[in-house]
Amino acid sequence: MKARFLFPHKWSLIGAILFILGFVVAALNYHYLHRIEVMQGDTTFDINGALHDIAILLWIGGLFLVAFSKEKIEDEQIAQLRLDSLQWSIYFNYAILVLCILFIDRWHVMLGVAAHFIFTPLLFFIVRFKWAIYQLNRSLKNTD
């Protein structure tokens, strides 16, 4: 993955903040504003649905920025780790999806589970990539 297609390193922190903010919005929505509706003229505006959508957008945007921001040192080895991690995240995501299809027999439940697969490729990628970088740094320290 060429570095020219990556966001600046500082945007990773912004992504992490957006991701955490998404959890705050979701928690507030669930605990305090659950099922509250505000009347606006002759239509009903569903705050619960709007906050749910905002939380999802914050999670996707935050994960996207964290996943595709440059590292402090972005070299060919990091690019290879990034590519390997992306490939493994897709493998893992579809393996989990196949297991869900095989073991969840109710269609409406499966749709709810499938909706979470919006986040999982990015999440799996970030975890695998950061773990690979951690192992690389640890092996470099052990050789010194």
Side-chain angles (χ1 to χ4, degrees), residues 5 10 12 17 19 26 54 58 72 77 79 93 106 113 126 128-129 132 142:
F5 297 122
K10 294 177 185 176
S12 180
I17 292 169
F19 186 69
I54 290 169
L58 287 170
K72 287 182 184 178
Q77 189 170 21
N93 186 62
R106 292 206 163 92
V113 170
I126 292 167
R128 171 70 161 74
F129 181 57
N142 290 340

Side-chain angles (χ1 to χ4, degrees), residues 128-140:
R128 171 70 161 74
F129 181 57
K130 297 298 181 183
W131 179 254
I133 289 176
Y134 170 76
Q135 286 183 322
L136 175 67
N137 289 336
R138 197 172 72 168
S139 69
L140 290 174

Side-chain angles (χ1 to χ4, degrees), residues 39-135:
M39 296 297 291
Q40 290 185 345
D42 49 345
T43 62
T44 301
F45 178 71
D46 182 14
I47 291 178
N48 185 30
L51 289 177
H52 183 261
D53 293 347
I54 290 169
I56 289 173
L57 290 173
L58 287 170
W59 288 335
I60 291 172
L63 287 173
F64 196 80
L65 289 176
V66 170
F68 299 112
S69 293
K70 292 180 186 177
E71 292 296 310
K72 287 182 184 178
I73 300 171
E74 190 74 34
D75 58 7
E76 289 179 11
Q77 189 170 21
I78 297 295
Q80 186 62 44
L81 288 176
R82 192 180 292 277
L83 184 61
D84 292 344
S85 298
L86 186 59
Q87 184 177 8
W88 275 103
S89 72
I90 297 301
Y91 288 161
F92 189 69
N93 186 62
Y94 278 98
I96 299 290
L97 181 60
V98 166
L99 290 174
C100 288
I101 290 170
L102 291 174
F103 295 112
I104 297 175
D105 60 349
R106 292 206 163 92
W107 183 247
H108 65 280
V109 175
M110 184 56 205
L111 287 177
V113 170
H116 289 87
F117 282 91
I118 295 169
F119 309 107
T120 53
L122 287 172
L123 201 56
F124 293 152
F125 168 74
I126 292 167
V127 170
R128 171 70 161 74
F129 181 57
K130 297 298 181 183
W131 179 254
I133 289 176
Y134 170 76
Q135 286 183 322

